[in-house]
């Protein structure tokens, strides 16, 4: 018995050794071929692997073939475009970047596959030199605030898309109900000011949800957050850049009391703290109002997608935040074999109207047809190639859709110019000294955040409970670390 | 030299058996043993290197036990450990009793076709994903349109805010788990019962034993080894919580965390934004080590009492 066991373990060991040798050989081979690829680069066309966000499209290959014909001629490169759906993108890219999967270009942002963290972890290549050498077109067309605002520790690691720069919140209303009860939209300013309108709807329309709210709702409060949806923040009008715990401020208390009042009055669904989607309400039109992030001409967009008129009025100022600047970017992978070509391609994508529109809308005559020079109409096949426009570079060189006003992009530029810089614009918190505390605070946040922010629990009771737990989890240490970094950042940037 | 010669002779002698073991052995080798090298990530601050995965591991900074700290740094550590352990103990004990009971009942049903129908019906929930089970539960517990609250309303009772009431969730979670798992486990015991020599029952019947006596004196004793093995295996996983059950079914409702937060959901919530794989590896390693120790101890205890029932 014993002898058999020994020989079996010997077999096991030899198998391990064998497989290690095999895998080592495999690794070497890959390296060799890579080296070869590099040396022959000047003549052979280069293939760039590009991961981007969005539901994979049926006609992707067809369009990419068309793209490759063009890029081959222009920059002697082809692309291999891979799409990963919105819900999976962060996780899959996280794993692929960690395991060193070969890729050249990838989508990153403040809300999916986090840009700042992954730049710090070394997932992206530093682009400063490449940008000045091969990215002339980008620096010329892009609003300088984008490149300035997306620097991490003083360097650029990704190319932001030229699009709306500030973020502004608006109150949205279902216009049919607004008209029916003759309610005045201009009266909607603060959260408290909504009460009479919501009351009218609640009393007269039993089947309607007055306020369509989700579990990640957060009232507009005058703060710029160190990390989004975490309680560390500075006041919007701060002079001394003092980091506070927002849940200890009087502003938060009074706002949350208002939300609580709404919850108790039944203006929001009793299940709001676990509601992740209200699409059913939008589809059936059984909602009166909600809050959303806007962009120029957004009312048209919403009305078209819901099939009934939606109107809006500002709920906040247009502020330029870190996260709004980093809303959509393309980075070059740290392990890219062809960073120069990748930059050339990104440059072309952001400046060349033909290429940008081909990637965005598909092939003319198949997916769309031109109405006039820069306005297009979708054809039936457009559903086989429906890309998220904002995620693929400069949106201001894309075609207008039928019904868009001629001055759409001027409106965008005007909107961008109207943006007010948030106090922490350009500051990126380096969490590596407090990772344990962040993980613990994150858990406390998950426990209390939704129920407090949606009014599901009484703030007078739960704010104290939450703060006590936040303290135990190390929030003070995070605030101290953030304060230290912000002070250093202010000193370095003369803020 | 002699040993090597003996080694090859052994291989040739047992080639058929070894060949049969090979696929399974390879599977374990590639998916269980090779990844074990990755546990060193638990002691590193993992940072990407442009030369691939191995280079990333080698070049990352050693941080000692820092990655384990977040698991124990707050008073949540007590809650998640307690929840994980108590729920699993409840699942093991109640699950065992119900599964064996179901298996015995199924084996005693005279109409074999009907028994098959019941068996399939009970088996089916096991194949549903937790997301779907979560929605099943939601259709009962939703405060506005849920079945239970509709019934309450028609009876004139006050409706319940199920997803805001931590008191009821230990029962709901155990109930949902049992609904999903018992059918599957009972099949294992049913197969064991089918393997029991029928002549034993015939002899008992001739001796005048009632059905109940037959079950107590033949079925249960003969099931003991398989019950022990199944329980030992479950004990090894006692530090792993079923993520879907504790995340999807309570709809990630914050007010319920005191009774639904377990090690796996805690790790997920803490790290989903930072994506520190060093820390998640640390959590996984901690669970494995505790599981390993528990299996060894319980196997040792079992062996003391009944050598044949032990795993090894």
């Amino acid at each position: 018995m014993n002898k058999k066991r020994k020989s079996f373990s010997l077999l096991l060991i030899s198998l391990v050794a064998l497989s290690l040798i095999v895998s080592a050989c495999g690794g070497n081979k890959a390296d060799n071929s890579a080296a070869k690829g590099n040396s022959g680069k000047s003549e052979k066309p280069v293939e760039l692997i590009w991961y981007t966000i969005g539901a994979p499209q049926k006609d992707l290959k067809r369009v990419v073939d068309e793209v490759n014909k063009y890029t081959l001629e222009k920059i002697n490169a082809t692309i291999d475009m891979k799409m990963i759906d919105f819900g999976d993108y962060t996780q899959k890219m996280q794993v692929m970047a960690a395991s060193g999967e070969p890729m050249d270009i990838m989508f990153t942002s403040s809300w999916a596959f986090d840009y700042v963290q992954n730049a710090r972890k070394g997932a992206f290549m530093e682009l400063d030199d490449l940008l000045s050498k091969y990215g002339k077109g980008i620096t010329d067309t892009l609003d300088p605030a984008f490149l300035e605002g997306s620097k991490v520790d003083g360097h650029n690691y990704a190319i932001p898309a030229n699009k709306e720069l500030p973020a502004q919140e608006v109150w949205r209303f279902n216009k049919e109900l607004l008209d029916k009860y003759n309610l005045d939209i201009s009266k909607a300013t603060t959260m408290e000011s909504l009460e009479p309108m919501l009351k009218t709807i609640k009393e007269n329309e039993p089947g309607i949800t007055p306020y369509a709210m989700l579990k990640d709702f957060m009232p507009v409060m005058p703060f710029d957050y160190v990390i989004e949806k975490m309680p560390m923040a500075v006041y919007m009008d701060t002079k001394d850049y003092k980091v506070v715990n927002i849940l200890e401020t009087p502003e938060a208390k009074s706002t949350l009391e208002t939300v609580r009042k709404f919850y108790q009055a039944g203006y929001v669904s009793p299940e709001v703290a676990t509601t992740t989607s209200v699409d059913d309400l939008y589809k059936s039109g059984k909602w009166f109002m909600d809050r959303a992030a806007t962009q120029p001409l957004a009312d048209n967009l919403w009305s078209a997608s819901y099939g009934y008129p939606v109107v809006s009025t500002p709920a906040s100022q247009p502020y330029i935040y870190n996260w709004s600047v980093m809303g959509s970017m393309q980075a070059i992978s740290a392990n890219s074999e062809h960073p120069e070509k990748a930059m050339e391609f990104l440059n072309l994508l952001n400046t060349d109207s033909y290429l940008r529109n081909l990637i965005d809308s598909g092939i003319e005559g198949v997916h769309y047809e031109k109405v006039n020079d820069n306005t297009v109409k979708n054809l039936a096949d457009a559903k086989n190639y429906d890309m998220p426009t904002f995620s693929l570079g400069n949106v201001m060189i894309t075609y207008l859709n039928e019904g868009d006003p001629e001055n759409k992009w001027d409106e965008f530029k005007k909107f961008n110019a109207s943006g007010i810089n948030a106090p922490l614009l350009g500051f990126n918190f380096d969490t590596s000294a407090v990772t344990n505390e962040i993980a613990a605070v994150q858990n406390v946040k998950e426990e209390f955040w939704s129920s407090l922010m949606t009014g599901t629990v009484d703030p007078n009771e739960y704010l104290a409970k939450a703060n006590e737990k936040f303290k135990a989890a190390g929030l003070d240490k995070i605030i101290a670390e953030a304060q230290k970094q912000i002070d250093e950042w202010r000193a370095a940037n003369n803020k | 030299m002699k040993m090597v010669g003996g080694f090859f002779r052994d291989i040739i002698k047992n080639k058929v058996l070894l060949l049969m073991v090979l696929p399974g052995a390879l599977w374990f080798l590639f998916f269980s043993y090779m990844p074990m090298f990755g546990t060193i990530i638990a002691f590193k601050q993992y940072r990407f290197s442009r030369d691939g995965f191995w280079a990333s591991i080698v070049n990352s900074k050693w941080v000692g036990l820092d990655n384990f700290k977040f698991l124990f740094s707050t008073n949540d550590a007590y809650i998640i450990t307690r929840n994980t352990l108590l729920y699993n103990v409840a699942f093991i004990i109640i699950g065992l009793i119900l599964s064996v009971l179901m298996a015995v009942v199924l084996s005693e049903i005279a109409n074999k076709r009907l028994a098959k129908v019941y068996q399939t019906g009970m088996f089916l929930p096991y194949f549903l994903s937790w997301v779907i089970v979560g929605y099943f539960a939601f259709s009962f517990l939703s405060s506005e349109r849920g079945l239970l609250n509709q019934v309450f309303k028609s009876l004139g009772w006050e409706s319940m805010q199920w997803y805001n009431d931590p008191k009821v969730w230990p029962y709901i979670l155990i109930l949902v788990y049992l609904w999903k798992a018992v059918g599957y486990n009972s099949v294992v015991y049913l197969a064991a019962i089918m393997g029991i020599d029928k002549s034993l029952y015939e002899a008992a019947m001739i001796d005048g034993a009632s059905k109940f006596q037959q079950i107590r004196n033949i079925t249960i004793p003969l099931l003991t080894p398989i019950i022990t093995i199944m329980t030992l295996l479950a004990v090894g996983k006692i530090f792993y919580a079923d993520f879907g059950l504790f995340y999807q079914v309570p709809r990630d409702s914050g007010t319920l965390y005191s009774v639904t937060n377990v090690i796996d959901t805690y790790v997920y919530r803490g790290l989903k934004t930072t994506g520190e794989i060093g820390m998640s590896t640390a959590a996984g390693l901690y669970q494995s080590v505790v599981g390993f120790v528990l299996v060894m101890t319980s196997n040792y205890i079992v062996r003391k009492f009944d050598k044949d029932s032990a795993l090894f």
Side-chain angles (χ1 to χ4, degrees):
Chain A
M1 186 65 209
N2 213 354
K3 198 180 158 209
K4 234 179 230 165
R5 209 176 255 184
K6 206 185 265 168
S7 49
F8 182 67
S9 51
L10 194 63
L11 178 74
L12 258 185
I13 290 165
S14 50
L15 266 175
V16 172
L18 187 71
S19 61
L20 278 180
I21 291 166
V22 168
S23 66
C25 284
N28 278 339
K29 214 186 282 164
D31 282 352
N32 286 339
S33 67
K36 253 180 241 150
N38 263 338
S39 59
K41 174 176 70 176
S42 52
E43 280 135 41
K44 254 201 266 162
V46 161
E47 188 184 59
L48 300 168
I49 303 167
W50 181 15
Y51 281 91
T52 190
I53 198 165
Q57 297 298 316
K58 207 173 147 200
D59 280 0
L60 184 65
K61 195 178 172 305
R62 199 167 159 193
V63 175
V64 167
D65 285 345
E66 204 65 29
V67 168
N68 286 342
K69 276 188 218 154
Y70 186 70
T71 51
L72 200 59
E73 186 190 316
K74 277 267 177 183
I75 55 171
N76 195 31
T78 57
I79 57 163
D80 177 8
M81 193 173 180
K82 299 177 191 215
M83 302 192 70
I84 301 175
D85 214 342
F86 288 95
D88 301 332
Y89 192 80
T90 306
Q91 213 147 23
K92 284 201 176 158
M93 289 306 287
Q94 207 90 266
V95 174
M96 283 198 282
S99 60
E101 180 87 10
M103 44 192 168
D104 296 292
I105 305 173
M106 50 196 162
F107 176 87
T108 171
S109 70
S110 51
W111 51 274
F113 190 44
D114 189 278
Y115 165 67
V116 177
Q117 273 169 25
N118 285 296
R120 288 226 170 90
K121 280 186 197 161
F124 309 137
M125 193 168 281
E126 191 211 292
L127 300 182
D128 297 357
D129 291 342
L130 286 172
L131 197 58
S132 59
K133 249 187 244 161
Y134 302 98
K136 201 84 195 74
I138 294 172
T139 40
D140 287 347
T141 46
L142 206 56
D143 190 326
F146 277 114
L147 284 173
E148 195 49 46
S150 62
K151 278 187 176 164
V152 177
D153 305 329
H155 302 288
N156 284 102
Y157 291 90
I159 307 298
N162 200 17
K163 57 192 243 332
E164 73 275 13
L165 184 61
Q168 182 172 24
E169 293 287 318
V170 289
W171 304 115
R172 296 197 305 173
F173 294 89
N174 185 343
K175 190 160 181 294
E176 281 162 24
L177 288 165
L178 215 53
D179 292 347
K180 187 171 169 191
Y181 294 97
N182 211 5
L183 297 166
D184 183 5
I185 184 173
S186 68
K187 293 235 175 70
T189 49
T190 59
M191 197 88 186
E192 286 82 14
S193 69
L194 304 169
E195 162 102 57
M197 301 172 126
L198 290 167
K199 196 161 181 231
T200 315
I201 299 298
K202 178 74 190 168
E203 279 165 6
N204 296 302
E205 296 280 350
I208 302 274
T209 304
Y211 195 126
M213 200 185 273
L214 292 177
K215 72 172 287 187
D216 58 4
F217 173 82
M218 234 178 110
V220 176
M221 288 185 271
F223 299 108
D224 190 11
Y225 299 87
V226 175
I227 300 174
E228 274 308 292
K229 309 218 155 188
M230 291 278 254
M232 310 80 75
V234 300
Y235 278 99
M236 242 355 168
D237 56 0
T238 186
K239 291 283 173 296
D240 59 357
Y241 287 81
K242 186 171 169 356
V243 182
V244 294
N245 168 8
I246 65 150
L247 299 179
E248 284 175 343
T249 63
E251 287 86 355
K253 188 158 187 290
S254 73
T255 316
L256 293 182
E257 274 166 3
T258 310
V259 190
R260 174 69 178 164
K261 205 162 67 190
F262 286 10
Y263 180 86
Q264 283 178 319
Y267 301 155
V268 299
S269 153
E271 252 150 27
V272 56
T274 53
T275 306
T276 51
S277 161
V278 284
D279 284 347
D280 53 330
L281 295 180
Y282 294 148
K283 274 207 188 90
S284 58
K286 289 192 182 305
W287 62 288
F288 169 61
M289 70 161 300
D290 69 355
R291 206 188 71 213
T294 191
Q295 57 165 332
L297 309 165
D299 288 5
N300 299 352
L301 226 66
W302 291 322
S303 303
S305 90
Y306 296 157
Y308 49 84
V310 172
V311 289
S312 65
T313 181
S316 76
Q317 307 261 28
Y319 276 109
I320 305 175
Y321 300 95
N322 279 319
W323 58 265
S324 70
V325 172
M326 302 169 184
S328 159
M329 309 199 262
Q330 298 288 347
I332 295 176
S333 170
N335 66 2
S336 168
E337 313 247 347
H338 318 286
E340 298 88 5
K341 274 286 173 234
M343 183 52 95
E344 278 182 56
F345 174 75
L346 286 178
N347 193 44
L348 200 64
L349 180 70
N350 281 288
T351 51
D352 187 308
S353 166
Y354 172 76
L355 176 67
R356 179 66 178 86
N357 281 297
L358 180 60
I359 287 180
D360 187 52
S361 321
I363 303 162
E364 186 177 356
V366 179
H367 301 105
Y368 70 90
E369 62 181 17
K370 277 193 170 171
V371 181
N372 62 37
D373 245 7
N374 62 348
T375 310
V376 297
K377 191 170 93 181
N378 278 346
L379 295 176
D381 269 1
K383 65 175 188 307
N384 294 334
Y385 194 74
D386 184 13
M387 300 289 266
T389 302
F390 72 91
S391 69
L392 299 164
N394 192 353
V395 300
M396 302 208 196
I397 52 172
T398 57
Y399 296 136
L400 300 176
N401 290 314
E402 236 188 343
D404 279 346
E406 231 7 81
N407 64 351
K408 182 173 176 184
W409 302 132
D410 293 333
E411 289 289 325
F412 268 72
K413 282 180 188 138
K414 236 191 278 168
F415 182 61
N416 286 355
S418 76
I420 309 161
N421 287 355
L424 294 181
L425 180 62
F427 168 74
N428 293 301
F429 188 31
D430 183 355
T431 55
S432 54
V434 286
T435 29
N436 282 306
E437 286 76 12
I438 296 256
V441 162
Q442 191 80 35
N443 261 288
V444 181
K445 183 226 126 185
E446 295 273 331
E447 180 169 355
F448 290 100
W449 206 255
S450 283
S451 35
L452 270 172
M453 293 297 163
T454 57
T456 308
V457 296
D458 183 3
N460 287 316
E461 186 190 343
Y462 277 81
L463 270 178
K465 272 193 197 172
N467 281 329
E468 190 188 321
K469 227 168 161 191
F470 271 125
K471 277 216 167 59
L475 181 62
D476 290 341
K477 192 174 165 198
I478 301 176
I479 288 182
E481 175 69 23
Q483 188 71 65
K484 193 187 102 198
Q485 290 183 24
I486 288 176
D487 290 344
E488 282 164 12
W489 168 76
R490 278 178 72 196
N493 293 283
N494 299 319
K495 288 273 173 184
Chain B
M1 197 61 218
K2 195 175 159 204
M3 206 193 100
V4 174
F7 172 65
F8 281 113
R9 209 167 322 113
D10 264 359
I11 289 188
I12 292 161
K13 202 167 81 193
N14 298 317
K15 63 173 181 287
V16 179
L17 288 176
L18 281 173
L19 219 61
M20 281 160 75
V21 166
L22 191 65
L26 279 180
W27 192 90
F28 274 109
L29 189 66
F30 280 110
F31 296 108
S32 297
Y33 284 86
M34 301 256 290
M36 275 187 201
F37 293 108
T39 47
I40 64 166
I41 296 174
F43 306 98
K44 292 210 159 201
Q45 184 183 49
Y46 187 80
R47 288 294 174 267
F48 307 140
S49 155
R50 58 164 299 159
D51 301 321
F53 184 58
W54 288 110
S56 304
I57 295 182
V58 173
N59 295 336
S60 292
K61 195 170 74 195
W62 288 100
V63 292
L65 294 175
D66 273 5
N67 285 333
F68 292 83
K69 275 189 193 147
F70 84 109
L71 280 172
F72 308 103
S73 61
T74 61
N75 51 356
D76 278 342
Y78 162 70
I79 292 178
I80 56 174
T81 314
R82 178 201 69 187
N83 285 348
T84 313
L85 278 176
L86 287 188
Y87 276 119
N88 274 325
V89 168
F91 292 163
I92 291 173
I93 295 173
I94 306 176
L96 172 72
I97 295 171
L98 278 183
S99 309
V100 172
L101 195 73
M102 283 297 168
V104 171
V105 169
L106 280 174
S107 70
E108 297 293 337
I109 290 175
N111 184 339
K112 284 301 155 204
R113 186 168 299 162
L114 211 54
K116 281 270 178 291
V117 172
Y118 291 142
Q119 192 185 329
T120 314
M122 282 167 39
F123 200 46
L124 199 64
Y126 179 80
F127 295 101
L128 296 175
S129 99
W130 279 117
V131 179
I132 297 168
V133 176
Y135 277 100
F136 280 0
F138 184 56
S139 70
F140 280 94
L141 304 175
S142 161
S143 72
E144 283 171 282
R145 276 159 279 180
L147 188 67
L148 285 179
N149 274 352
Q150 298 289 352
V151 172
F152 284 9
K153 216 192 273 171
S154 67
L155 291 172
W157 297 353
E158 210 167 304
S159 65
M160 284 269 291
Q161 293 295 334
W162 295 99
Y163 289 96
N164 289 332
D165 189 356
K167 279 196 304 294
V168 293
W169 277 89
Y171 307 105
I172 296 177
L173 287 173
I174 290 174
L175 194 73
V176 171
Y177 172 83
L178 293 176
W179 174 76
K180 195 169 184 286
V182 161
Y184 180 81
N185 289 330
S186 67
V187 169
V188 176
Y189 297 117
L190 187 61
I193 293 174
M194 292 303 169
I196 296 173
D197 193 343
K198 288 280 170 295
S199 58
L200 288 171
Y201 291 102
E202 283 158 17
M205 267 188 274
I206 290 165
D207 288 346
S210 69
K211 264 268 166 309
F212 183 69
Q213 282 169 325
Q214 288 174 32
I215 291 169
R216 215 186 57 186
N217 296 317
I218 301 174
T219 316
I220 300 292
L222 286 172
L223 273 183
T224 310
I226 185 103
I227 289 176
T228 322
I229 288 172
M230 295 285 283
T231 309
L232 278 178
L233 289 175
V235 166
K237 291 212 164 72
I238 207 161
F239 249 57
Y240 292 88
D242 205 329
F243 179 81
L245 172 66
F246 293 97
Y247 190 80
Q248 304 288 357
V249 178
R251 295 172 71 79
D252 192 23
S253 172
T255 32
L256 304 179
Y257 280 10
S258 54
V259 293
T260 61
N261 213 359
V262 288
I263 296 176
D264 298 75
T265 52
Y266 183 84
V267 171
Y268 174 75
R269 286 184 185 118
L271 303 180
K272 70 176 172 187
T273 42
T274 52
E276 284 287 344
I277 67 170
M279 285 157 80
S280 35
T281 313
L285 181 60
Y286 168 62
Q287 290 177 308
S288 312
V289 169
V290 175
F292 179 72
V293 171
L294 283 173
V295 168
M296 293 312 259
T297 343
S298 35
N299 189 62
Y300 174 77
I301 295 168
V302 170
R303 205 169 45 192
K304 279 248 150 162
F305 289 104
D306 176 11
K307 210 164 179 208
D308 291 333
S309 297
L311 270 180
F312 43 83

